[in-house]
Amino acid sequence: MKKNRGDMVAVTVLRSGPAGDKRPYYQTFEVKATQDMTVLDALFQILDTQDHSLAFRYSCRSAVCGSCAMFINGWHGLACSTLLSELGREIIVQPLPHMPIIKDLVVDLSLFFERYKVVKPYVAPNKPFPEKEWVQSPNERSKINDSTDCILCAACYSACPSVWTGKNYLGPAALLWAYRFSGDSRDGILRDRVGLIASEDGLWRCHTIFNCTEACPKNLNPARFIQSLKRTTTKETLKVRIPFLR
Ligand code: SF4
């Protein structure tokens, strides 16, 4: 692996303005790379010392908020947790592919979050809340492990060919959250949620291509969660159609 410590690194950024503004173009900046510098640090150096107009999104700087997901050297990643030392001397940073661009590295996530909201991404109990905490056993919690680590960065959504071609497809992240709450021992609207996702634009649009799994910077496997949801949905649908299975 090539190390860049203490070296100048060329960071090329795909720049663009709002739709209708001038055409996208690549601009290269020389960045003084220091030890343990991340792509986000490099973008800040450019912003502070070379071009105050560079636009990018960030918040936590700890790989928790998902705001700084980008396409870095041809790979989905979080700018805050991608080290320059892992990338070589020439780095190309682009906004998440297949997403509408607002400016430079900032993409429009409105549709992504609209689709996320469709699956009712919250615990909806069908019994009264207990007076104190609602205890979940380790075994119950283990059924939704991993899926709770999603940071809604939209990398999987941006990488999914079924999203590119299916204009109403919910996408892998929304379905992952459907899995997460359907499997929660405190939730009581499994049948409702199944009704929301068991459609051509829901679960069945996933063709198990696994781009989502490849792209996820948290190493989650949305494709596996979707497959599990397909099994649950099939069982629930059969229970409705064949009453003696209930
Ligand atoms: S599943 Fe992974 S890639 Fe998709 S939104 Fe969640 S953290 Fe991001």
Side-chain angles (χ1 to χ4, degrees):
M1 189 184 297
K2 207 179 235 178
K3 299 282 181 191
N4 293 322
R5 291 173 190 154
D7 286 336
M8 297 304 287
V9 171
V11 178
T12 300
V13 182
L14 182 60
R15 310 283 313 261
S16 46
D21 204 352
K22 63 181 167 183
R23 292 161 68 92
Y25 60 98
Y26 286 98
Q27 186 173 9
T28 300
F29 302 91
E30 289 292 317
V31 168
K32 172 94 176 125
T34 53
Q35 191 169 6
D36 298 332
M37 192 171 187
T38 64
V39 171
L40 186 61
D41 294 330
L43 294 174
F44 269 111
Q45 191 183 111
I46 295 168
L47 182 74
D48 292 342
T49 63
Q50 300 186 54
D51 189 336
H52 301 315
S53 71
L54 180 65
F56 51 94
R57 200 183 260 134
Y58 75 97
S59 181
C60 74
R61 303 188 189 205
S62 313
V64 174
C65 73
S67 306
C68 66
M70 298 172 188
F71 204 56
I72 302 165
N73 277 8
W75 205 255
H76 291 83
L78 298 174
C80 71
S81 61
T82 306
L83 294 170
L84 293 192
S85 58
E86 294 169 354
L87 298 172
R89 283 179 186 278
E90 292 184 2
I91 298 166
I92 301 178
V93 187
Q94 295 165 277
L96 286 179
H98 303 281
M99 306 284 282
I101 295 171
I102 296 173
K103 186 175 184 318
D104 298 335
L105 301 168
V106 180
V107 296
D108 186 352
L109 294 169
S110 316
L111 199 51
F112 171 73
F113 281 108
E114 265 172 43
R115 290 171 178 179
Y116 161 70
K117 281 191 245 164
V118 167
V119 305
K120 301 195 175 181
Y122 42 81
V123 171
N126 59 359
K127 53 188 176 191
F129 280 90
E131 275 184 23
K132 291 189 179 167
E133 63 189 310
W134 205 322
V135 178
Q136 230 180 3
S137 71
N139 188 37
E140 287 169 337
R141 179 61 175 74
S142 70
K143 291 184 182 148
I144 51 170
N145 271 355
D146 295 348
S147 61
T148 56
D149 290 346
C150 173
I151 56 173
L152 289 169
C153 70
C156 56
Y157 180 90
S158 146
C160 175
S162 297
V163 171
W164 310 338
T165 53
K167 68 180 168 59
N168 297 314
Y169 176 44
L170 291 173
L175 292 171
L176 176 149
W177 283 87
Y179 168 92
R180 183 253 174 274
F181 286 106
S182 301
D184 194 301
S185 55
R186 301 159 297 180
D187 190 70
I189 60 162
L190 175 62
R191 187 88 30 105
D192 284 3
R193 233 183 245 112
V194 161
L196 295 169
I197 61 176
S199 68
E200 231 180 277
D201 291 321
L203 274 182
W204 310 119
R205 178 71 59 189
C206 169
H207 300 304
T208 332
I209 299 163
F210 280 99
N211 273 22
C212 54
T213 301
E214 291 272 315
C216 179
K218 299 297 279 186
N219 296 321
L220 304 181
N221 190 344
R224 179 171 71 79
F225 298 132
I226 296 171
Q227 290 312 103
S228 175
L229 258 189
K230 283 179 181 171
R231 285 193 292 276
T232 306
T233 300
T234 304
K235 279 187 208 153
E236 287 302 311
T237 308
L238 285 175
K239 280 188 206 164
V240 171
R241 299 212 176 138
I242 312 173
F244 70 80
L245 288 178
R246 277 178 213 171

